[in-house]
Structures are given as structure tokens and as C-alpha cells.
Amino acid sequence: MADHVHEPEDLKDHLDVSHEEHPIEDYARNVNARIINPLAGISKDNLRIQVRGFCIEHGFQDKEDIFFRGALAAQNPIEEDYMNIPELTDDDKIALKREITHKWHLPRHLYYAIALCSLGSALQGWDNTGANGANLSFPQEFGIEDNQWLIGVINSAPTLFGLCSAWAADPINNWIGRRGSIFVTGLFCIFPVLAQAFTHSWWELLLCRLFMGLGMGIKISVIPIYTAEVSPASIRGGMVTSFQLWVAFGIMIGMVFNLAFYRIGRLAWRFQLAAAFAPAIPVVLFVWWCPESPRWLMKKGRYQQAFRSFCRLRNTEMQAARELYYAHRQVIEERSAFAGTTLGRRIWDLVSVPRLRRATLASAWIVISQQFSGINIMAFYSSTIFSNAGYGTLSTLLASFGYGLIMFVFAFPALYTMDTFGRRNLLLVTFPNMAWCLLAAGLCFFMSPDNPARVPLIAFFIYLFTALYGPGMGPMPSIYFSEAFPLSHREIGGAFTICVNNAVGSALSLTFPALLARVGATAAFGLYAGLNMVAFFVIFLIVPETKQRTLEELDYIFGVPTSKHMAYQIKTWLPWWIKRYVFFQRDAKLKPLYQLEGYSARREDEEHTV
């Protein structure tokens, strides 16, 4: 199959010359902040000819009417527009309307695929909390309790090795697809995890955790990308949130098993670490029953399989045809704009192509902000923190279980708020509040150890911090990097983002035990409170909103120059916010940053998008 799609020669002569192809510069430097429908401006007759050419080239001659109706629906996404199209059937119009009124009513194949694959992410949270409980006993087992740096290296080993393995996500995805990648990484989440229970020295344990990182470094990018590619735009944020939901579930279950194995004694850490293999078993066994990502199949030129996959993931054939044809038209323009073919070229594109550089910068800062928030430090070392605060071993594990429970419960609101309140808004609201919670928790360490309110107050502010993290920063990294990059660079973009995440996470996990021992809890908590505020200000300036945009429309979002985005936030959005919410001027109007072309007035909430 040829890489580029060409209309048949005998059809090209009939194309309306008024149709305007959007230039490459629209992606690279979208100075006018336009979001352009690739089907806008095409006459109905011309669109039919183009659809016929597409169907002939890809073997859909018997589906031409369905694809034409799908193309019309993609060209006219507003209800007042598509309701007046006579070619659309009554069933088509009902199905399109239900996308808004019943947007969660989707085929079981979609929910099955997302639930099963996201289950694999539970290992990440479970391992963090398994190490959390194991930190109370394995250092004594191996005689390294006084070597805080070595304990930090062992805990951070999966993320350290993930620095190398994350780059393998691109070629592995290219060779065996999304499902194959999830299967292979699942194997590394079973055997090395189990092997931890049978280690006899700290270096054997370190080796097992390094091999865990081989799978986790790839899995952490593949699962969100797969989820984003199979989900409808209107609920993509909520769907990808399932990744973080299962991470939070793993954290909570890990805490439960820490308590369950507590009374085993000096062998408890072996069970606490090894039990985390369980979530990977059903993933490895049943992943092949999930539909493959249709966008990956399109990338490989397998359009027939892509359409069958879309049909399993959408309610009607017309909706499947609409998404396939719309994505096809956008992919044609993506290929012209981002023509990198080799791995080295695609890596270089991440910094040399402006649209990709902006996506890389925003995605990288999101994962850095997650590490700056301090949540992973809590996941690894909450037991150590509570122990230093004055709790005994059992009370420490119970307090850490409370942390895990709150993390899981407060991950649920993000399923709704991610696609309504928005990604960027959630971050801007939660980061300042997380900062003062950490500062308050740190200041509580100044209280006298004899004061009965000391430990409960520390626990309270840590719990409040965790509750704010759940619907805000919690699911954000997996959502953002999985949707920010075009199809041509999605794997390598995700791999780079995970590499940044693992590098910063490893550095913080390595240094926290020594930092806690040297400067104390108050200074350590104060440092992370300051990092939360740094994350807040940078997010305000450089991170664009992506909610309810198709993966293809985001090319134009990230085509807007960073300087224009920053100027808008400072000169337009911030003055409007002060007038509206400080001086309560209800008539204050906000000029939107993005100008929709070919979508009519698709979203009334566009004016309030920061």
C-alpha cells in the first residue's frame, strides 16, 4: 500500500478547484490560532467524488454510500447543520445527536478494551506501595538500613531502567502494534515481579526491579496512547483517566496487601513486592480479544481492518466511516507536514518542527509537574514519613492505607471533570491548593511530639493533598502526552515524555531519603510546596487546553506559537479573570484564543477556554 493516498486520475478532473488544501505552515506556525476542518469548503458533489476515489483505492466500493454520509457528518458536526442534510438517514441523525445526549453509551468492545488494558497500569501503583511497605523491613534483611542512597536506588530502579526502555516504545509499536506491545510488556510485569520474592541479596532485588522497568517504561506510554486512539473526542479525557484510576486502585490494593502480610514478620516484604504481578495476568491472557487501534492500522495502510475495528468501537457503521474518513484526510496533511520516516528523524522532529516542539514542551512539563507535586514521593515513602511523625509500624501501614484509599476514591471525579471543566483548568485550580497543603503538613512537624494533635494533623493535610491530586494532576500526564502528538510521532513523543518522567522521578526518589534525613520533614515538604507553585506558573503560560478536540484537530492547537499563547494568557485571559472573579463584573467578555473554521459555532464554552 502506498504511503500517500492519491485520488484516481479520472476523478481528479472533476474536483472543484475552489477546494483549498491547508498549507503545511498551518501546523508549524498557526499564528492566527485557527482550527480548520479538513473537509471545510468542499462542495457536496466534490466531496462525493473524493469519497468515491477513497473507496475505490481502499476497497470500500460496497460501502460508498456509508462513507459519503460519514463524510457529510464530519463536514457538518453541528446539530443545526447535519439535521438539514437530506442524504443522512433518520437513524444517522439520531446516532449523531446521541453522541451529545448519551455520550457514554458506547459499544461494550470499547469498554472492554479500555478496562482490560488499563488494568495493567495497576501494577505501577501496586509496586509503588509494595515498596512503600517493604521499606520497613527489606533494608534490615540485607543490612543496608543505614545506606539511604542505596535504598533510593532500589526503589527507583524501575524508573531508572525505564529511561532506556521508554525509547523502545516507538519501534516495538511500529512492529507489533498496540496490542502486541501491551502483551510483551505484560510479560515483564509478571516474571521479574514474582522473582523479587526469591532474592537473597540487595543486588538480586535491584536486578529484578531493573527488568520490571523494561516493561513498565514501555507500558506507561502504550496504554494511554491506545486508549486515546480508540476513544471518541467528547469523552477521551474520561476514558484515558481510567489509566490513573487503575494506578490509584493498585496503590490502594498494595496498601491492603501491606497490611495483610504485616504479621508474617521479616518475610513480609517478599510478599508485599511479589503480589503486584496479579493485575498483569488477565491483561496478557485476554488482550488479543481487544480491537487493535484503528489509527495504528491506518498508519500501516490496513484500512479494511481499521474500518472493522472502528465498527467494533462505535455504535453505527456511519459513525465508524465518519471517523475513518476524517482521520484519513487529516493524516494526508500530517504526512506532508511531518514527513520523518526514520527513528532518528522522528526524534529530531520533536525539537525541530515547531508544532511538535510545542507538544513536546507541554507534555514534558506536565510530567515534570507531576513529579514536582510530590505524589510519587508519598507513594514510595508515606510509611517512612508517618513513621518519622511518630506512628508505630501497624499505625503507619494503616495511615498509608488511608492515603491509598483517598487516592482511589478521588480519581473518580476526573472521569467527568476532565472533559467538562478541562485539563488546564483542573491543573490551575489544584496546584496552588496542593502547595499550601504540603506546606501545612510540613509545619505540623514543628509541633511537639507529645502533642496529640501532631500526627493526626500531618495525616489530615497529606490526605487533603492527595484528594486534590486525584481529580487534577493524577490522570493528566497519561491523557496529555497520548493526545498531544500527531499519529506520525505519537509513539516517539510518548516515549520521550515517559523518559523525562522517569528521569525526574528517579532523581527525586533517589534523593528524598537523604533529603529527609539531612534537612528534616518541614524543609522537604516546603521544597515540594515551592515546586508546586513553579509548576502552576509554567502551566499557566505554556500548556494549551485540549479537551473535546479530535486528535486530528490538535495539530492546529499546537500550531499556535508559544509566544502568542503566553501573550493571550497574560494580556487577555488574566485581565478578564480579574474583572470577572475579583471585581465581579458579570458583563466581562472574554475574546477566545482559537478561531474555529468549518465548525460553525461548535462549542459555546469556547469563550471560557484558557
Side-chain angles (χ1 to χ4, degrees), residues 339-370:
T341 54
T342 66
L343 177 61
R345 172 65 185 272
R346 290 196 297 276
I347 293 174
W348 175 245
D349 284 348
L350 295 181
V351 295
S352 64
V353 178
R355 178 262 184 265
L356 296 172
R357 184 169 62 246
R358 295 178 197 112
T360 302
L361 178 62
S363 299
W365 187 255
I366 290 289
V367 297
I368 290 172
S369 298
Q370 184 189 45

Coordinates of all heavy atoms in Angstrom, one line a residue, residues 339-370:
A339 N 7.1 14.6 7.8 CA 7.5 13.5 6.9 C 8.6 12.6 7.4 O 9.2 11.9 6.6 CB 7.9 14.1 5.5
G340 N 9.0 12.7 8.7 CA 10.0 11.9 9.2 C 9.7 10.4 9.1 O 8.6 10.0 9.4
T341 N 10.7 9.7 8.6 CA 10.4 8.2 8.3 C 11.3 7.4 9.2 O 10.9 6.3 9.6 CB 10.7 7.9 6.9 OG1 12.0 8.3 6.5 CG2 9.7 8.6 6.0
T342 N 12.5 7.8 9.6 CA 13.4 7.0 10.4 C 13.2 7.4 11.9 O 12.7 8.5 12.2 CB 14.8 7.2 10.0 OG1 15.2 8.6 10.3 CG2 15.0 6.9 8.5
L343 N 13.6 6.5 12.8 CA 13.5 6.8 14.2 C 14.3 8.1 14.6 O 13.9 9.0 15.3 CB 14.1 5.6 15.0 CG 14.1 5.8 16.5 CD1 12.7 6.1 17.1 CD2 14.7 4.6 17.2
G344 N 15.6 8.2 14.0 CA 16.4 9.4 14.3 C 15.7 10.6 13.8 O 15.8 11.7 14.5
R345 N 15.1 10.6 12.6 CA 14.5 11.8 12.1 C 13.3 12.2 12.9 O 13.0 13.3 13.2 CB 14.0 11.5 10.6 CG 13.2 12.6 10.0 CD 13.9 13.9 9.8 NE 13.0 14.9 9.4 CZ 12.7 15.2 8.1 NH1 13.3 14.4 7.1 NH2 11.9 16.1 7.7
R346 N 12.5 11.2 13.4 CA 11.3 11.5 14.2 C 11.8 12.1 15.6 O 11.1 13.0 16.1 CB 10.5 10.2 14.4 CG 9.8 9.8 13.2 CD 8.6 8.8 13.5 NE 9.1 7.6 14.1 CZ 9.6 6.5 13.4 NH1 9.6 6.6 12.1 NH2 9.9 5.4 14.1
I347 N 12.9 11.6 16.1 CA 13.4 12.2 17.4 C 13.8 13.6 17.1 O 13.4 14.5 17.9 CB 14.5 11.4 17.9 CG1 14.1 10.0 18.3 CG2 15.2 12.1 19.1 CD1 15.2 9.1 18.8
W348 N 14.5 13.9 16.0 CA 14.9 15.2 15.7 C 13.7 16.2 15.5 O 13.7 17.3 15.8 CB 15.8 15.2 14.5 CG 16.2 16.6 14.1 CD1 15.9 17.2 12.9 CD2 17.0 17.6 14.8 NE1 16.5 18.5 12.8 CE2 17.1 18.7 14.0 CE3 17.6 17.6 16.0 CZ2 17.8 19.9 14.4 CZ3 18.3 18.7 16.4 CH2 18.4 19.8 15.6
D349 N 12.6 15.6 14.9 CA 11.4 16.4 14.6 C 10.8 17.0 15.9 O 10.2 18.0 15.9 CB 10.4 15.6 13.9 CG 10.7 15.3 12.4 OD1 11.6 16.0 11.9 OD2 10.1 14.5 11.8
L350 N 11.0 16.2 17.0 CA 10.4 16.7 18.2 C 10.9 18.0 18.7 O 10.2 18.8 19.4 CB 10.6 15.6 19.4 CG 10.0 14.3 19.2 CD1 10.3 13.4 20.4 CD2 8.5 14.4 19.0
V351 N 12.1 18.4 18.3 CA 12.7 19.7 18.6 C 12.8 20.6 17.5 O 12.9 21.9 17.7 CB 14.0 19.5 19.3 CG1 13.9 18.8 20.6 CG2 15.0 18.8 18.4
S352 N 12.8 20.1 16.2 CA 13.0 21.0 15.1 C 11.7 21.5 14.4 O 11.7 22.6 13.8 CB 13.8 20.2 14.0 OG 13.1 19.1 13.5
V353 N 10.6 20.7 14.6 CA 9.3 21.1 14.0 C 8.5 21.9 15.0 O 8.2 21.3 16.1 CB 8.5 19.9 13.5 CG1 7.2 20.3 12.9 CG2 9.3 19.1 12.4
P354 N 8.1 23.1 14.8 CA 7.5 23.9 15.8 C 6.3 23.3 16.5 O 6.1 23.3 17.7 CB 7.1 25.2 15.1 CG 8.2 25.3 14.0 CD 8.4 23.9 13.6
R355 N 5.4 22.7 15.6 CA 4.2 22.1 16.2 C 4.5 21.0 17.1 O 4.0 20.8 18.2 CB 3.3 21.6 15.0 CG 2.0 20.9 15.5 CD 2.2 19.4 15.5 NE 1.0 18.7 15.9 CZ 0.7 18.3 17.1 NH1 1.5 18.5 18.1 NH2 -0.4 17.6 17.3
L356 N 5.5 20.1 16.8 CA 5.9 19.0 17.6 C 6.7 19.5 18.8 O 6.6 18.9 19.9 CB 6.8 18.1 16.8 CG 6.1 17.3 15.6 CD1 7.1 16.6 14.8 CD2 5.0 16.4 16.2
R357 N 7.5 20.6 18.6 CA 8.3 21.1 19.8 C 7.3 21.6 20.9 O 7.6 21.4 22.1 CB 9.2 22.2 19.3 CG 10.1 22.7 20.4 CD 11.2 23.7 19.8 NE 10.6 24.8 19.2 CZ 10.7 25.1 17.9 NH1 11.4 24.2 17.1 NH2 10.2 26.2 17.3
R358 N 6.2 22.2 20.5 CA 5.3 22.8 21.5 C 4.6 21.6 22.2 O 4.4 21.7 23.4 CB 4.3 23.7 20.8 CG 4.9 24.9 20.2 CD 3.9 25.8 19.5 NE 4.6 26.8 18.6 CZ 4.6 26.7 17.3 NH1 3.8 25.8 16.7 NH2 5.3 27.6 16.6
A359 N 4.2 20.6 21.5 CA 3.6 19.4 22.1 C 4.6 18.7 23.0 O 4.2 18.3 24.1 CB 3.1 18.4 21.0
T360 N 5.9 18.6 22.6 CA 6.9 18.0 23.5 C 7.1 18.9 24.7 O 7.2 18.3 25.8 CB 8.2 17.9 22.7 OG1 8.0 17.2 21.5 CG2 9.3 17.3 23.5
L361 N 7.2 20.2 24.6 CA 7.4 21.0 25.7 C 6.2 20.9 26.7 O 6.5 20.8 27.9 CB 7.6 22.5 25.3 CG 7.8 23.5 26.4 CD1 9.0 23.3 27.1 CD2 7.8 25.0 25.7
A362 N 5.0 21.0 26.2 CA 3.8 21.0 27.1 C 3.7 19.6 27.8 O 3.5 19.5 29.0 CB 2.6 21.3 26.3
S363 N 3.9 18.5 27.0 CA 3.8 17.2 27.6 C 4.9 16.9 28.6 O 4.7 16.4 29.7 CB 3.9 16.1 26.5 OG 2.8 16.3 25.6
A364 N 6.1 17.4 28.3 CA 7.2 17.2 29.2 C 7.0 18.0 30.5 O 7.3 17.4 31.6 CB 8.5 17.6 28.6
W365 N 6.5 19.2 30.4 CA 6.3 19.9 31.6 C 5.1 19.3 32.5 O 5.2 19.4 33.7 CB 6.0 21.4 31.3 CG 5.9 22.2 32.6 CD1 4.8 22.7 33.2 CD2 7.0 22.5 33.4 NE1 5.2 23.3 34.4 CE2 6.5 23.2 34.6 CE3 8.4 22.3 33.3 CZ2 7.4 23.6 35.6 CZ3 9.2 22.7 34.4 CH2 8.7 23.4 35.5
I366 N 4.2 18.7 31.8 CA 3.1 18.1 32.6 C 3.7 17.0 33.4 O 3.3 16.9 34.6 CB 2.0 17.5 31.6 CG1 1.2 18.7 31.0 CG2 1.1 16.6 32.4 CD1 0.3 19.4 31.9
V367 N 4.5 16.1 32.9 CA 5.1 15.0 33.7 C 6.1 15.5 34.7 O 6.2 14.9 35.8 CB 5.7 13.9 32.8 CG1 4.6 13.3 31.9 CG2 6.9 14.4 32.0
I368 N 6.8 16.6 34.4 CA 7.7 17.2 35.4 C 6.9 17.7 36.5 O 7.2 17.6 37.7 CB 8.6 18.3 34.7 CG1 9.6 17.6 33.8 CG2 9.3 19.1 35.8 CD1 10.3 18.7 32.9
S369 N 5.8 18.3 36.2 CA 4.9 18.9 37.3 C 4.3 17.8 38.1 O 4.2 18.0 39.4 CB 3.7 19.7 36.6 OG 4.2 20.8 35.9
Q370 N 4.0 16.7 37.5 CA 3.5 15.6 38.4 C 4.6 15.1 39.4 O 4.3 14.9 40.6 CB 3.2 14.4 37.5 CG 2.6 13.2 38.3 CD 2.4 11.9 37.5 OE1 3.3 11.5 36.8 NE2 1.3 11.3 37.7

